Each structure stands twice: as structure tokens, then as C-alpha cells.
Amino acid sequence: MLPEFLEFLRIHTRHDKNLMLDDNIEDVESFQHVLMEVEEYLLTLSPETPYDALEQKLQDLGLERGWGSNAGRVLESIQLLLELLDAPDALNLEKFLSKIPLVFNVVIMSPHGYFAQDNVLGYPDTGGQVLYILDQVRALENEMLKRIKEQGLDITPRILIVTRLLPDAVGTTCGQRLEKVYGTQYSDIIRVPFRTEKGVVRRWISRFEVWPYLETYTEDVATELLKEFQGKPDLIVGNYSDGNIVASLLAHMFDVTQCTIAHALEKTKYPDSDLYWKKLEDKYHFSCQFTADLIAINQTDFIITSTFQEIAGNKETVGQYESHLAFTMPGLYRVVNGIDCFDPKFNIVSPGADMDIYFPYTEKERRLPSFHSEIEELLYSQVENKEHLCVLNDRNKPIIFTMARLDRVKNITGLVEWYGKNAKLRELVNLVVVAGDRRKESKDNEEKAEMKKMYELIDTYKLNGQFRWISSQMNRVRNGELYRYIADTKGAFVQPAVYEAFGLTVVEAMTCGLPTFATCKGGPAEIIVNGKSGYRIDPYNGDKAADILVDFFEKCKADPSHWDKISQGGLKRIKEKYTWQIYSERLLTLTGVYGFWKQVSDLDEKRRYIKMLYALRYKKSVESVPLAEEE
């Protein structure tokens, strides 16, 4: 293993310039001798001695830049490496790999939906994943800059979020090729169009129908990346099924480290979708998606999940990845060993909320009162229009609030029905829902169906006077103040999804100090410690969920300190575990660890099988998906 480790260090260059080692160190024995000589020299210097003062001496011995910015940091790296060479140890290996220069160019793949920074949230297929990636990139750039400085290098990193260019997305930047990510110096969104033999595809396409475009899209993306980076990336991060299959193709093409983030594997969201795939195929094309997921899961170097439940579920529900262990799609194929849930490539790295936008309602000096008149208009205006429907007659009641895409899985109409059926809950609180966009006609079939259901529920339960339906809100900063405004009413946030892989809105609400009730199906069950930092609710038992809400608000009415107790419990939970700084540190460290194992491991046999699955099964399924008709 030691010769392979030396080779791993030797291959790292930047624009054909060596990092860490020059070409004169030929074997492990001479390398150890050099390291001991360097250690002896560094012990004579002050730890604060800048690298410039010792660069010539280290170059004479065969070492190049990248070990540290001063004598103290270089000495720490050298001593750690000497320990490793003398007695290999997993923890020391990880610590050493986190210190050395490995990652400068990063690609984040997210093809589907409307990916932009303004005026897109709430559009079909556009929600938490967009926010996750934008916050991820800001934190990642900060950590990369910090590490590059500590490594003593003068290198400019670059992060590219790659998504689809939508020429006709009026009112957004989705038709703009390159867009700087707010709050960054070196991170951009680059948009590449889908295309066919007839030219660029202009219309939006559902995430379930993107499959025929992705192979050509991958080739076009590769061309753009080579142009932008003037070389190849160091890390490719895939998001969701389409982003992960494209990331798999690119990582194979460039021979670089690949990270997979599922966000939501559809297999667990649609029960028995494997057995009855033929009935669902025309609408969802699961034959493509499940095969793409199998390919990406098995090819990737490492997988990041936000929760343990994503991997292996719990005693009541199967995990997202676990569901791919063994299953049958009759007439298509049978999977007998699709994934190993104990594979060390799995890592739980939970995201956080943007602390500049989402902060406790009690931090009065940071509050944004300039938004309050707009928020009051949204919540309490007696005007009904395409932005807000129904009115709230009693402004003194607390508000239970939810905000999500309007689709079946998010279960917003389920929450409305629970509320409508429970007279006591209606007496105690108002309900405000931010979901869907009534200002324009939806192109998404699920959203259309949910909208129709919402209108029916309003009529059936005569909700006007206690309920407010607000169209999706695009201003993220104002949304942060909206959470806090709801907290001012001593209300609560409810996330009623049938299944939620993580639950970013749950973290956002808790970060603002808003007591949160969230689905027990998926990630929120790990975020919330039931009864202490929030409450878990069962989306399949709406009557009980409504009773839990009633019990909470009755307790708060009798003892207002109960609301404060749950609010503070949520804030404490967030600070302990859910921050982007922790996330970015871990992601870069894991990139080093798995990049090393990629270099020293022989996985050719497995990769050949994956290529066969792609060529003989996945591509055949893709051929059955019709191309979208341009309007």
C-alpha cells in the first residue's frame, strides 16, 4: 500500500506544476528519509515562519508547495505522514488527507427544474434541492478558500453548478448561460440546453421525462467544463437521479472522484412502484429512473445522505437505498444485490440553513421590519386574488403554517383536510398554506390534480375565514422573515409529507425558533427529538396528527412557557448538528479519503458490469420515453 500512497501524492499537479512532491523522490524509503530530514530542519524554526522563508530549502530536498502556509503547519503535516508510513491508521489517514491540496475545481450537477436564485421557488420540480445546492456551494467555497490558504497555495478555486438552460423561462435567469452565485467569488451557475437533432429544446420538461436527453446533454456539459476549467474537474457531485446518472458518465469520462446525493429516491415515495411499474410507466418512466439509480449508486465513489433513514430506514419503514437491495420489476429484470447498506461509501452529512436568512425570531436587531407590511398583506388582506385565496377573520389566533411544492408527496392537501375535519383545531388556530402558483396555469399534472383537490376541500369544509392559500413565494429573504412573523403569532410550522428524504424547511423553521411538527416518514424523524425539539406526526393518520396539534396549542394556551420550551429545544438541536460549516468540512475531507481509495483500488470488474447494465438495459428503456413536443 505504501508505494501506492506515494504515487497518490505524486500525481497531484496544478496546470502541470507539481504539488507537494517533485519528480526526484523515487521510492518510499527515500521519501521517508526526506521527511525525517525536513522534520529535523523545521524543529529549529519558529512555527510562525512563513513558507516563503523555507521554500528553497524544502525544494532542495524534493518537496513542493502544499504542505502548509508556515513552518508549524508543514511540520504538523510531515509528522502526521511519518506516523502513517510507520504505522498506518485510518483516523490519521483521514486527518492527513484533509490537510493536503486535492480539490480546486468542483462540479455540482442538477439538470432538472428551474434552477436560479430568484423567482423560481415553487415552480414544478423546483424547491429544496435548489436551496440546498446554493447554500452548499457558498459553504464549500469558503472551506476551499480556507484550506488553500492553510496549505500555503496561491490558487483560485472554481465551483460550477451545472443545470439546464431554459430559453423560454420568462421572468427568471434560467435562459442565461452563466450566472454568479450570490455571496461567492468563484462560483457560478452554468446552464447547458437539452437538444435533439432538431435543435435546442425550449420548453420545461418534468424530471420524470428527461431521460432521452441526458446522454447528449452529458457530452455538451463535458465540452463546457473543459472550456471553463481549462482542464478537468477534481470532484463531481450529482444530485437526484438525473444529476447522478450524468455525474456517473462525466466521472467515468474524466476519471475523477464522484459523489452521489439522492435527495429523494422515488422508489420509496411511490409504494409498489417496482411491482406495478408497467401501470406507472407512461407517467413516471420508472424503468429508466430505477436503473439510473442502480448505476449511479454502484459506480459512485461515495454517497452523502442527510439522515440514517435514507440508507436503512427504521423498524417501520424501509430506507431509500435499502429499497434497492432486492426487488423485481416483472417483465423487465430482478435485482438480487442492488446495494450494500453497510458499504463504507455511505456517509451521513446533514446540511443546515443559511444563517444569514434564517435566524431566531428573538434576534430583534436582525429582524427585517421593512417586510412586515408585505407579510401582513399576504396573511391578512381581505382581498382574494391569484396570489392569495380565502381570508383570516380572527387575527388574534396563532397560525399553523406550511410551505412546499404542491404535489402528492408533499401532502399539503392532506394537512388542509386534517384541519378542515377537526373543529377544535379550527377553533384554536388559523391555517396558512404557501404552495403552488395560482398566478399562472401549471404544466405539471400532479400540481394540477392537487390544485383541484384544494379547491374542493375549501368548499367541502367551508374553510374561508380560517384558512389562507398563498401562491408560492420566491423571495427567500422575505420567507425567512415570514417564518419569524409566524413565530410572533406563537404559531407552528407543519411539514406533512408522505415521505421526506431530509426536510430543509424543517431545519429553516426550527432555526427561526418556530415549533415544528413534521412527518415521521423519512429524515425529519431524525432532525426532531419528539416532544423536546418538535413533534413527529404520521401522514397516514391525519386525525391523530391533528389531535397532536390540538394538544400542543391547548397546553400553550394554559401555559405560554410551553411554546417557548419547544422553540428553544428546536434551536438547541439545530446548533448541535445542522450547520453548513460542519457539512463543507466533511464533504472536502471525504473527497480526499475516497479519492485516495479510488486511486489504490481495483474496481474494473464491477465497472464493466455497470457499463453493460447501462448499454443493454438503461439505454433500451430510455428509447421508450417519447421526446417532448414543442409548443
Side-chain angles (χ1 to χ4, degrees):
M1 186 65 76
L2 293 183
E4 289 87 348
F5 187 68
L6 176 59
E7 182 60 27
F8 176 74
L9 295 178
R10 199 198 311 277
I11 63 172
H12 287 94
T13 62
R14 176 71 174 172
H15 298 318
D16 298 324
K17 182 176 174 57
N18 285 5
L19 298 175
M20 303 191 75
L21 303 180
D22 67 16
D23 296 328
N24 296 320
I25 297 175
E26 296 180 350
D27 54 45
V28 174
E29 187 177 343
S30 61
F31 184 36
Q32 285 178 300
H33 178 76
V34 167
L35 292 175
M36 287 186 285
E37 193 171 341
V38 170
E39 180 188 29
E40 186 177 343
Y41 165 65
L42 292 172
L43 287 170
T44 67
L45 303 177
S46 164
E48 301 304 317
T49 305
Y51 190 86
D52 288 346
L54 47 120
E55 182 171 14
Q56 188 59 56
K57 173 69 172 178
L58 266 58
Q59 278 187 334
D60 291 343
L61 291 169
L63 301 190
E64 299 289 347
R65 279 186 174 269
W67 294 90
S69 58
N70 57 37
R73 290 190 186 281
V74 176
L75 179 60
E76 185 180 354
S77 297
I78 294 293
Q79 290 178 331
L80 191 56
L81 182 52
L82 281 169
E83 281 185 48
L84 271 173
L85 295 174
D86 185 50
D89 170 81
L91 292 177
N92 279 341
L93 175 62
E94 182 176 307
K95 189 175 179 183
F96 177 75
L97 291 171
S98 72
K99 290 179 174 294
I100 64 176
L102 299 173
V103 182
F104 306 109
N105 292 334
V106 177
V107 174
I108 312 288
M109 285 301 316
S110 182
H112 74 262
Y114 294 80
F115 199 110
Q117 300 175 85
D118 299 304
N119 304 323
V120 295
L121 293 183
Y123 279 16
D125 293 344
T126 307
Q129 182 172 314
V130 173
L131 301 180
Y132 178 109
I133 291 171
L134 291 171
D135 288 343
Q136 173 198 50
V137 164
R138 280 186 277 267
L140 200 53
E141 183 185 285
N142 288 336
E143 183 64 19
M144 288 169 72
L145 287 169
K146 171 176 166 284
R147 292 193 181 200
I148 288 168
K149 183 178 179 182
E150 290 174 350
Q151 289 155 359
L153 297 171
D154 182 20
I155 290 174
T156 300
R158 187 90 191 276
I159 303 176
L160 289 176
I161 302 170
V162 183
T163 189
R164 183 190 164 201
L165 186 138
L166 288 163
D168 294 339
V170 179
T172 77
T173 54
C174 294
Q176 181 180 317
R177 177 182 174 271
L178 205 62
E179 178 184 355
K180 179 66 68 181
V181 175
Y182 300 155
T184 69
Q185 294 175 271
Y186 310 112
S187 301
D188 298 276
I189 302 167
I190 184 168
R191 300 185 178 90
V192 180
F194 285 172
R195 64 180 177 87
T196 65
E197 294 175 351
K198 295 179 181 179
V200 170
V201 180
R202 305 186 67 85
R203 58 161 290 187
W204 168 82
I205 295 170
S206 162
R207 70 186 189 274
F208 296 117
E209 298 171 344
V210 298
W211 310 106
Y213 306 95
L214 295 182
E215 191 163 293
T216 303
Y217 181 74
T218 301
E219 295 169 1
D220 295 342
V221 167
T223 302
E224 293 289 344
L225 294 180
L226 289 170
K227 188 192 308 178
E228 290 292 326
F229 287 138
Q230 295 297 297
K232 67 181 186 178
D234 303 303
L235 169 67
I236 299 175
V237 182
N239 293 274
Y240 191 68
S241 302
D242 56 344
N244 283 319
I245 193 67
V246 174
S248 297
L249 296 171
L250 289 170
H252 177 73
M253 188 184 303
F254 290 129
D255 191 26
V256 296
T257 305
Q258 177 190 351
C259 170
T260 288
I261 305 176
H263 294 282
L265 292 168
E266 300 291 349
K267 193 168 177 298
T268 48
K269 290 164 67 175
Y270 295 84
D272 298 326
S273 50
D274 46 9
L275 290 175
Y276 301 108
W277 69 274
K278 288 182 180 178
K279 293 181 181 178
L280 301 168
E281 188 69 0
D282 287 346
K283 185 176 181 181
Y284 295 112
H285 306 290
F286 286 144
S287 67
C288 297
Q289 187 153 12
F290 295 173
T291 311
D293 288 333
L294 283 171
I295 290 168
I297 290 167
N298 283 280
Q299 176 168 309
T300 190
D301 297 297
F302 67 107
I303 296 169
I304 281 181
T305 72
S306 300
T307 64
F308 174 81
Q309 289 196 48
E310 283 180 63
I311 305 170
N314 56 35
K315 63 182 180 182
E316 296 175 348
T317 59
V318 67
Q320 286 194 66
Y321 285 97
E322 184 184 18
S323 71
H324 291 73
L325 175 62
F327 64 94
T328 298
M329 300 180 79
L332 192 69
Y333 56 65
R334 182 162 63 108
V335 176
V336 294
N337 189 20
I339 186 66
D340 177 5
C341 290
F342 298 98
D343 195 313
K345 71 168 66 175
F346 281 107
N347 301 270
I348 301 169
V349 187
S350 301
D354 185 336
M355 298 296 186
D356 292 329
I357 295 175
Y358 305 100
F359 53 84
Y361 77 102
T362 52
E363 295 185 13
K364 301 296 184 184
E365 71 285 354
R366 297 181 66 192
R367 293 288 297 269
L368 305 170
S370 60
F371 284 125
H372 286 189
S373 61
E374 296 175 22
I375 291 172
E376 287 191 14
E377 173 75 16
L378 276 177
L379 295 176
Y380 298 118
S381 166
Q382 293 299 301
V383 175
E384 295 185 69
N385 53 34
K386 290 189 175 182
E387 185 165 26
H388 34 74
L389 184 68
C390 299
V391 298
L392 302 179
N393 291 335
D394 187 351
R395 292 184 55 155
N396 294 318
K397 289 199 295 189
I399 291 172
I400 56 175
F401 170 66
T402 193
M403 181 160 53
R405 293 193 315 275
L406 191 59
D407 63 28
R408 187 190 69 81
V409 173
K410 294 298 182 185
N411 196 32
I412 301 301
T413 53
L415 171 62
V416 174
E417 187 165 15
W418 306 344
Y419 178 80
K421 290 165 64 176
N422 193 301
K424 188 63 179 176
L425 186 59
R426 293 175 67 168
E427 179 187 324
L428 287 166
V429 296
N430 292 318
L431 173 62
V432 172
V433 164
V434 177
D437 192 348
R438 296 173 50 254
R439 292 162 294 206
K440 59 182 179 57
E441 185 179 351
S442 177
K443 297 177 182 178
D444 183 81
N445 291 331
E446 271 200 18
E447 186 176 62
K448 287 179 184 176
E450 291 296 299
M451 280 189 171
K452 181 175 181 291
K453 186 177 179 182
M454 188 80 86
Y455 288 122
E456 291 170 353
L457 290 169
I458 292 169
D459 290 339
T460 300
Y461 295 104
K462 296 179 172 47
L463 295 175
N464 200 356
Q466 299 170 312
F467 169 71
R468 183 78 151 180
W469 179 13
I470 301 172
S471 287
S472 56
Q473 297 299 302
M474 310 298 188
N475 188 329
R476 199 177 171 204
V477 176
R478 189 175 71 179
N479 286 346
E481 189 63 22
L482 177 57
Y483 281 117
R484 291 184 287 274
Y485 195 97
I486 300 295
D488 291 337
T489 76
K490 298 301 178 183
F493 181 78
V494 182
Q495 208 278 27
V498 171
Y499 183 85
E500 186 66 54
F502 177 60
L504 193 56
T505 54
V506 171
V507 172
E508 290 170 354
M510 291 170 69
T511 304
C512 293
L514 191 56
T516 299
F517 296 72
T519 179
C520 64
K521 306 298 182 183
E526 288 180 42
I527 299 171
I528 289 173
V529 179
N530 196 42
K532 294 185 177 180
S533 57
Y535 295 89
R536 299 171 190 160
I537 55 175
D538 185 349
Y540 294 102
N541 192 340
D543 292 342
K544 185 177 179 181
D547 288 341
I548 291 170
L549 283 159
V550 167
D551 182 65
F552 172 75
F553 282 106
E554 284 185 330
K555 283 181 179 176
C556 293
K557 196 172 182 179
D559 177 12
S561 69
H562 183 66
W563 190 96
D564 296 324
K565 175 186 168 186
I566 300 302
S567 171
Q568 289 301 313
L571 287 168
K572 182 173 181 287
R573 179 70 171 163
I574 293 299
K575 289 174 184 175
E576 288 173 350
K577 196 167 181 183
Y578 299 98
T579 73
W580 281 110
Q581 182 182 347
I582 296 170
Y583 177 101
S584 58
E585 290 172 357
R586 192 66 188 144
L587 176 56
L588 286 180
T589 296
L590 291 172
T591 301
V593 171
Y594 290 98
F596 169 69
W597 285 113
K598 179 186 181 74
Q599 179 68 27
V600 301
S601 302
D602 180 12
L603 299 172
D604 284 348
E605 185 176 343
K606 185 175 185 180
R607 294 280 159 81
R608 282 197 296 270
Y609 185 84
I610 292 170
K611 286 177 71 175
M612 182 184 72
L613 180 62
Y614 178 86
L616 300 182
R617 181 63 272 161
Y618 171 78
K619 290 184 73 170
K620 189 174 181 182
S621 292
V622 167
E623 288 171 3
S624 67
V625 181
L627 295 174
E629 293 182 9
E630 293 285 6
E631 296 176 352

